[in-house]
CSV table of all heavy atoms in Angstrom, one decimal:
chain,number,residue,atom,x,y,z
J,1,VAL,N,-18.8,4.6,35.8
J,1,VAL,CA,-19.2,5.7,34.9
J,1,VAL,C,-18.6,7.0,35.4
J,1,VAL,O,-18.5,7.3,36.6
J,1,VAL,CB,-20.7,5.8,34.9
J,1,VAL,CG1,-21.2,7.1,34.1
J,1,VAL,CG2,-21.4,4.6,34.3
J,2,GLY,N,-18.0,7.8,34.5
J,2,GLY,CA,-17.5,9.1,34.8
J,2,GLY,C,-16.0,9.1,35.1
J,2,GLY,O,-15.5,10.2,35.3
J,3,LEU,N,-15.3,8.0,35.1
J,3,LEU,CA,-13.9,8.0,35.5
J,3,LEU,C,-13.0,8.0,34.3
J,3,LEU,O,-11.8,7.9,34.4
J,3,LEU,CB,-13.7,6.8,36.4
J,3,LEU,CG,-14.4,6.7,37.7
J,3,LEU,CD1,-13.9,5.6,38.6
J,3,LEU,CD2,-14.3,8.1,38.4
J,4,GLY,N,-13.5,8.1,33.0
J,4,GLY,CA,-12.7,8.3,31.9
J,4,GLY,C,-12.1,7.1,31.2
J,4,GLY,O,-10.9,7.1,30.9
J,5,LYS,N,-12.9,6.1,30.9
J,5,LYS,CA,-12.4,5.0,30.1
J,5,LYS,C,-12.0,5.4,28.7
J,5,LYS,O,-11.1,4.9,28.1
J,5,LYS,CB,-13.6,4.0,30.0
J,5,LYS,CG,-13.9,3.3,31.3
J,5,LYS,CD,-14.9,2.2,31.2
J,5,LYS,CE,-16.3,2.7,30.8
J,5,LYS,NZ,-16.8,3.6,31.9
J,6,THR,N,-12.8,6.4,28.2
J,6,THR,CA,-12.4,6.9,26.8
J,6,THR,C,-11.0,7.6,26.8
J,6,THR,O,-10.3,7.4,25.9
J,6,THR,CB,-13.5,7.9,26.3
J,6,THR,OG1,-14.8,7.3,26.4
J,6,THR,CG2,-13.2,8.4,24.9
J,7,ILE,N,-10.7,8.3,27.9
J,7,ILE,CA,-9.4,8.9,28.0
J,7,ILE,C,-8.3,7.9,28.1
J,7,ILE,O,-7.3,8.0,27.5
J,7,ILE,CB,-9.4,9.9,29.2
J,7,ILE,CG1,-10.4,11.0,29.1
J,7,ILE,CG2,-8.0,10.4,29.5
J,7,ILE,CD1,-10.1,11.9,27.9
J,8,GLU,N,-8.6,6.8,28.9
J,8,GLU,CA,-7.6,5.8,29.0
J,8,GLU,C,-7.3,5.1,27.7
J,8,GLU,O,-6.1,4.9,27.3
J,8,GLU,CB,-8.1,4.7,30.0
J,8,GLU,CG,-8.1,5.2,31.5
J,8,GLU,CD,-8.9,4.3,32.4
J,8,GLU,OE1,-9.3,3.2,31.9
J,8,GLU,OE2,-9.0,4.7,33.6
J,9,ALA,N,-8.3,4.9,26.9
J,9,ALA,CA,-8.2,4.3,25.5
J,9,ALA,C,-7.5,5.3,24.7
J,9,ALA,O,-6.6,4.9,23.9
J,9,ALA,CB,-9.6,4.0,25.0
J,10,GLY,N,-7.8,6.6,24.8
J,10,GLY,CA,-7.1,7.6,24.0
J,10,GLY,C,-5.6,7.7,24.3
J,10,GLY,O,-4.8,7.8,23.4
J,11,ILE,N,-5.3,7.6,25.5
J,11,ILE,CA,-3.9,7.6,26.0
J,11,ILE,C,-3.1,6.5,25.3
J,11,ILE,O,-2.0,6.7,24.7
J,11,ILE,CB,-3.7,7.6,27.5
J,11,ILE,CG1,-4.3,8.8,28.2
J,11,ILE,CG2,-2.2,7.3,27.9
J,11,ILE,CD1,-4.4,8.7,29.7
J,12,LEU,N,-3.7,5.3,25.4
J,12,LEU,CA,-3.1,4.1,24.8
J,12,LEU,C,-3.0,4.2,23.3
J,12,LEU,O,-2.0,3.8,22.7
J,12,LEU,CB,-3.8,2.9,25.3
J,12,LEU,CG,-3.5,2.5,26.8
J,12,LEU,CD1,-4.6,1.6,27.3
J,12,LEU,CD2,-2.2,1.8,26.9
J,13,LEU,N,-4.0,4.6,22.7
J,13,LEU,CA,-4.0,4.8,21.2
J,13,LEU,C,-2.8,5.7,20.8
J,13,LEU,O,-2.1,5.4,19.8
J,13,LEU,CB,-5.3,5.3,20.7
J,13,LEU,CG,-6.5,4.3,20.6
J,13,LEU,CD1,-7.8,5.0,20.4
J,13,LEU,CD2,-6.2,3.2,19.6
J,14,LYS,N,-2.7,6.8,21.5
J,14,LYS,CA,-1.7,7.8,21.2
J,14,LYS,C,-0.3,7.2,21.4
J,14,LYS,O,0.6,7.3,20.6
J,14,LYS,CB,-1.9,9.0,22.1
J,14,LYS,CG,-0.8,10.1,21.7
J,14,LYS,CD,-1.1,10.8,20.4
J,14,LYS,CE,-0.2,12.0,20.2
J,14,LYS,NZ,-0.5,12.7,19.0
J,15,GLU,N,-0.1,6.5,22.5
J,15,GLU,CA,1.2,5.9,22.9
J,15,GLU,C,1.5,4.8,21.8
J,15,GLU,O,2.7,4.7,21.3
J,15,GLU,CB,1.0,5.2,24.2
J,15,GLU,CG,2.2,4.4,24.7
J,15,GLU,CD,3.4,5.2,25.2
J,15,GLU,OE1,3.2,6.4,25.3
J,15,GLU,OE2,4.5,4.6,25.4
J,16,TYR,N,0.6,4.0,21.4
J,16,TYR,CA,0.9,2.9,20.4
J,16,TYR,C,1.2,3.5,19.1
J,16,TYR,O,2.1,3.0,18.4
J,16,TYR,CB,-0.3,2.0,20.3
J,16,TYR,CG,-0.5,1.1,21.5
J,16,TYR,CD1,-1.5,0.2,21.6
J,16,TYR,CD2,0.4,1.0,22.6
J,16,TYR,CE1,-1.7,-0.7,22.6
J,16,TYR,CE2,0.3,0.1,23.6
J,16,TYR,CZ,-0.7,-0.7,23.6
J,16,TYR,OH,-0.8,-1.6,24.7
J,17,PHE,N,0.5,4.6,18.7
J,17,PHE,CA,0.8,5.2,17.3
J,17,PHE,C,2.2,5.8,17.4
J,17,PHE,O,2.9,5.7,16.4
J,17,PHE,CB,-0.3,6.2,17.0
J,17,PHE,CG,-1.4,5.7,16.2
J,17,PHE,CD1,-2.7,5.7,16.7
J,17,PHE,CD2,-1.3,5.0,15.0
J,17,PHE,CE1,-3.8,5.2,16.1
J,17,PHE,CE2,-2.4,4.5,14.3
J,17,PHE,CZ,-3.6,4.6,14.8
J,18,VAL,N,2.5,6.6,18.5
J,18,VAL,CA,3.8,7.3,18.5
J,18,VAL,C,4.9,6.3,18.5
J,18,VAL,O,6.0,6.6,17.9
J,18,VAL,CB,3.7,8.2,19.8
J,18,VAL,CG1,5.2,8.7,20.1
J,18,VAL,CG2,2.8,9.4,19.6
J,19,THR,N,4.8,5.3,19.3
J,19,THR,CA,5.9,4.3,19.4
J,19,THR,C,6.0,3.3,18.3
J,19,THR,O,6.9,2.4,18.2
J,19,THR,CB,5.8,3.5,20.7
J,19,THR,OG1,4.6,2.8,20.8
J,19,THR,CG2,5.9,4.5,21.9
J,20,GLY,N,5.1,3.4,17.3
J,20,GLY,CA,5.1,2.5,16.2
J,20,GLY,C,4.6,1.1,16.5
J,20,GLY,O,4.7,0.2,15.6
J,21,MET,N,3.9,0.9,17.6
J,21,MET,CA,3.3,-0.4,17.9
J,21,MET,C,2.1,-0.7,17.1
J,21,MET,O,1.7,-1.9,16.9
J,21,MET,CB,3.0,-0.5,19.4
J,21,MET,CG,4.3,-0.4,20.3
J,21,MET,SD,3.9,-0.4,22.0
J,21,MET,CE,3.3,-2.0,22.3
J,22,ILE,N,1.4,0.3,16.6
J,22,ILE,CA,0.3,0.1,15.7
J,22,ILE,C,0.3,1.1,14.5
J,22,ILE,O,0.9,2.2,14.7
J,22,ILE,CB,-1.1,0.3,16.5
J,22,ILE,CG1,-1.2,1.8,17.0
J,22,ILE,CG2,-1.3,-0.6,17.6
J,22,ILE,CD1,-2.6,2.1,17.6
J,23,ARG,N,-0.3,0.7,13.5
J,23,ARG,CA,-0.4,1.5,12.3
J,23,ARG,C,-1.8,1.7,11.8
J,23,ARG,O,-2.1,2.6,11.0
J,23,ARG,CB,0.5,0.9,11.1
J,23,ARG,CG,1.9,0.9,11.4
J,23,ARG,CD,2.7,0.0,10.4
J,23,ARG,NE,2.4,-1.4,10.5
J,23,ARG,CZ,2.9,-2.3,9.7
J,23,ARG,NH1,3.7,-2.1,8.8
J,23,ARG,NH2,2.6,-3.6,10.0
J,24,ASN,N,-2.7,0.9,12.4
J,24,ASN,CA,-4.1,1.2,12.1
J,24,ASN,C,-5.0,0.8,13.3
J,24,ASN,O,-4.5,0.2,14.2
J,24,ASN,CB,-4.6,0.4,10.8
J,24,ASN,CG,-4.5,-1.2,11.0
J,24,ASN,OD1,-4.5,-1.7,12.2
J,24,ASN,ND2,-4.4,-1.9,10.0
J,25,ALA,N,-6.2,1.4,13.3
J,25,ALA,CA,-7.1,1.2,14.5
J,25,ALA,C,-8.5,1.2,14.0
J,25,ALA,O,-8.9,2.1,13.2
J,25,ALA,CB,-6.8,2.2,15.5
J,26,LEU,N,-9.3,0.4,14.6
J,26,LEU,CA,-10.8,0.4,14.4
J,26,LEU,C,-11.5,0.6,15.7
J,26,LEU,O,-11.2,-0.1,16.7
J,26,LEU,CB,-11.2,-0.9,13.8
J,26,LEU,CG,-12.7,-1.2,13.7
J,26,LEU,CD1,-13.4,-0.2,12.7
J,26,LEU,CD2,-13.0,-2.6,13.3
J,27,ILE,N,-12.4,1.6,15.8
J,27,ILE,CA,-13.2,1.8,17.0
J,27,ILE,C,-14.6,1.6,16.7
J,27,ILE,O,-15.2,2.2,15.8
J,27,ILE,CB,-13.0,3.3,17.5
J,27,ILE,CG1,-11.5,3.5,17.8
J,27,ILE,CG2,-13.8,3.6,18.7
J,27,ILE,CD1,-11.2,5.0,18.2
J,28,LEU,N,-15.3,0.7,17.5
J,28,LEU,CA,-16.6,0.4,17.3
J,28,LEU,C,-17.4,0.9,18.5
J,28,LEU,O,-17.1,0.6,19.6
J,28,LEU,CB,-16.8,-1.1,17.2
J,28,LEU,CG,-16.1,-1.8,16.1
J,28,LEU,CD1,-16.1,-3.3,16.2
J,28,LEU,CD2,-16.6,-1.4,14.7
J,29,THR,N,-18.5,1.7,18.2
J,29,THR,CA,-19.2,2.4,19.2
J,29,THR,C,-20.7,2.3,19.0
J,29,THR,O,-21.1,2.0,17.8
J,29,THR,CB,-18.8,3.9,19.4
J,29,THR,OG1,-19.5,4.6,18.3
J,29,THR,CG2,-17.4,4.1,19.3
J,30,PRO,N,-21.6,2.7,19.9
J,30,PRO,CA,-23.0,2.9,19.6
J,30,PRO,C,-23.1,4.1,18.6
J,30,PRO,O,-22.2,5.0,18.7
J,30,PRO,CB,-23.6,3.3,20.9
J,30,PRO,CG,-22.7,2.6,22.0
J,30,PRO,CD,-21.3,2.8,21.4
J,31,PRO,N,-24.1,4.1,17.8
J,31,PRO,CA,-24.2,5.2,16.8
J,31,PRO,C,-24.1,6.6,17.4
J,31,PRO,O,-23.5,7.5,16.8
J,31,PRO,CB,-25.6,5.0,16.1
J,31,PRO,CG,-25.8,3.5,16.3
J,31,PRO,CD,-25.2,3.1,17.6
J,32,SER,N,-24.7,6.8,18.6
J,32,SER,CA,-24.8,8.1,19.2
J,32,SER,C,-23.4,8.6,19.7
J,32,SER,O,-23.3,9.8,20.1
J,32,SER,CB,-25.8,8.1,20.3
J,32,SER,OG,-25.4,7.2,21.3
J,33,LEU,N,-22.5,7.7,19.8
J,33,LEU,CA,-21.2,8.1,20.4
J,33,LEU,C,-20.1,8.3,19.4
J,33,LEU,O,-18.9,8.6,19.7
J,33,LEU,CB,-20.8,7.1,21.4
J,33,LEU,CG,-21.7,6.9,22.6
J,33,LEU,CD1,-21.1,5.8,23.6
J,33,LEU,CD2,-21.8,8.3,23.4
J,34,ARG,N,-20.3,8.1,18.1
J,34,ARG,CA,-19.3,8.2,17.1
J,34,ARG,C,-18.7,9.5,17.1
J,34,ARG,O,-17.4,9.7,17.1
J,34,ARG,CB,-19.9,7.8,15.7
J,34,ARG,CG,-20.0,6.3,15.4
J,34,ARG,CD,-20.7,6.1,14.1
J,34,ARG,NE,-21.9,6.8,14.0
J,34,ARG,CZ,-22.8,6.5,13.0
J,34,ARG,NH1,-22.6,5.6,12.1
J,34,ARG,NH2,-23.9,7.2,12.9
J,35,ILE,N,-19.5,10.5,16.9
J,35,ILE,CA,-19.0,11.9,16.8
J,35,ILE,C,-18.2,12.3,18.1
J,35,ILE,O,-17.1,12.9,18.0
J,35,ILE,CB,-20.1,12.9,16.6
J,35,ILE,CG1,-20.7,12.7,15.2
J,35,ILE,CG2,-19.6,14.4,16.7
J,35,ILE,CD1,-21.9,13.5,14.9
J,36,GLN,N,-18.7,11.9,19.3
J,36,GLN,CA,-18.0,12.2,20.5
J,36,GLN,C,-16.6,11.6,20.5
J,36,GLN,O,-15.7,12.2,21.0
J,36,GLN,CB,-18.8,11.7,21.7
J,36,GLN,CG,-18.2,11.9,23.1
J,36,GLN,CD,-19.0,11.4,24.2
J,36,GLN,OE1,-20.2,11.4,24.2
J,36,GLN,NE2,-18.4,10.9,25.2
J,37,TRP,N,-16.5,10.3,20.1
J,37,TRP,CA,-15.2,9.7,20.1
J,37,TRP,C,-14.3,10.4,19.1
J,37,TRP,O,-13.1,10.7,19.4
J,37,TRP,CB,-15.4,8.2,19.6
J,37,TRP,CG,-15.5,7.3,20.7
J,37,TRP,CD1,-16.6,6.9,21.3
J,37,TRP,CD2,-14.4,6.6,21.4
J,37,TRP,NE1,-16.4,6.0,22.4
J,37,TRP,CE2,-15.0,5.8,22.4
J,37,TRP,CE3,-13.0,6.6,21.2
J,37,TRP,CZ2,-14.2,4.9,23.2
J,37,TRP,CZ3,-12.3,5.7,22.1
J,37,TRP,CH2,-12.9,4.9,23.1
J,38,GLN,N,-14.8,10.8,17.9
J,38,GLN,CA,-14.0,11.5,17.0
J,38,GLN,C,-13.4,12.8,17.5
J,38,GLN,O,-12.2,13.1,17.4
J,38,GLN,CB,-14.8,11.7,15.7
J,38,GLN,CG,-14.0,12.4,14.6
J,38,GLN,CD,-14.8,12.8,13.4
J,38,GLN,OE1,-15.9,13.4,13.6
J,38,GLN,NE2,-14.4,12.4,12.2
J,39,GLN,N,-14.3,13.6,18.1
J,39,GLN,CA,-13.9,14.9,18.7
J,39,GLN,C,-12.9,14.8,19.8
J,39,GLN,O,-12.0,15.5,19.9
J,39,GLN,CB,-15.2,15.7,19.2
J,39,GLN,CG,-16.1,16.0,18.0
J,39,GLN,CD,-17.4,16.7,18.5
J,39,GLN,OE1,-17.8,16.6,19.6
J,39,GLN,NE2,-18.1,17.4,17.6
J,40,GLU,N,-13.2,13.8,20.7
J,40,GLU,CA,-12.3,13.6,21.9
J,40,GLU,C,-10.9,13.2,21.4
J,40,GLU,O,-9.9,13.8,21.9
J,40,GLU,CB,-12.8,12.5,22.8
J,40,GLU,CG,-14.1,12.9,23.5
J,40,GLU,CD,-13.8,13.2,25.0
J,40,GLU,OE1,-13.0,12.5,25.6
J,40,GLU,OE2,-14.5,14.1,25.5
J,41,LEU,N,-10.8,12.3,20.4
J,41,LEU,CA,-9.5,11.9,20.0
J,41,LEU,C,-8.8,12.9,19.2
J,41,LEU,O,-7.5,13.1,19.2
J,41,LEU,CB,-9.6,10.6,19.1
J,41,LEU,CG,-10.1,9.4,19.9
J,41,LEU,CD1,-10.3,8.2,18.9
J,41,LEU,CD2,-9.1,8.9,21.0
J,42,LYS,N,-9.5,13.8,18.5
J,42,LYS,CA,-8.9,14.9,17.7
J,42,LYS,C,-8.4,16.0,18.6
J,42,LYS,O,-7.3,16.4,18.5
J,42,LYS,CB,-10.0,15.4,16.7
J,42,LYS,CG,-9.5,16.5,15.9
J,42,LYS,CD,-8.4,16.1,14.9
J,42,LYS,CE,-8.0,17.3,14.0
J,42,LYS,NZ,-6.8,16.9,13.1
J,43,THR,N,-9.3,16.5,19.5
J,43,THR,CA,-8.9,17.6,20.3
J,43,THR,C,-7.9,17.3,21.4
J,43,THR,O,-7.1,18.2,21.8
J,43,THR,CB,-10.2,18.3,20.9
J,43,THR,OG1,-10.9,17.2,21.7
J,43,THR,CG2,-11.1,18.7,19.8
J,44,LYS,N,-8.0,16.1,22.0
J,44,LYS,CA,-7.2,15.8,23.1
J,44,LYS,C,-5.9,15.0,22.8
J,44,LYS,O,-4.9,15.1,23.5
J,44,LYS,CB,-8.0,15.0,24.2
J,44,LYS,CG,-9.1,15.9,24.8
J,44,LYS,CD,-9.9,15.1,25.8
J,44,LYS,CE,-11.0,15.9,26.4
J,44,LYS,NZ,-11.9,15.2,27.3
J,45,PHE,N,-5.9,14.3,21.7
J,45,PHE,CA,-4.8,13.4,21.4
J,45,PHE,C,-4.3,13.6,19.9
J,45,PHE,O,-3.3,13.0,19.5
J,45,PHE,CB,-5.2,12.0,21.5
J,45,PHE,CG,-5.7,11.6,22.9
J,45,PHE,CD1,-7.0,11.6,23.2
J,45,PHE,CD2,-4.7,11.4,24.0
J,45,PHE,CE1,-7.5,11.2,24.5
J,45,PHE,CE2,-5.2,11.2,25.3
J,45,PHE,CZ,-6.5,11.1,25.5
J,46,SER,N,-4.9,14.6,19.2
J,46,SER,CA,-4.4,14.9,17.8
J,46,SER,C,-4.5,13.6,17.0
J,46,SER,O,-3.6,13.4,16.1
J,46,SER,CB,-3.0,15.5,17.8
J,46,SER,OG,-3.0,16.7,18.5
J,47,LEU,N,-5.5,12.8,17.2
J,47,LEU,CA,-5.6,11.6,16.4
J,47,LEU,C,-6.9,11.8,15.5
J,47,LEU,O,-8.0,12.0,16.0
J,47,LEU,CB,-5.9,10.4,17.3
J,47,LEU,CG,-4.7,10.0,18.1
J,47,LEU,CD1,-5.1,8.8,19.1
J,47,LEU,CD2,-3.5,9.6,17.3
């Protein structure tokens, strides 16, 4: 806990989108974490 698994996932999502390895993505979370995931990916990775 606290070591940034979400950041690691964000780095990889960004890498895969930029290099064309992926064109779509589905993220499944607990209800309370949906907004947090959306904000983190938007502000830190422009996704």
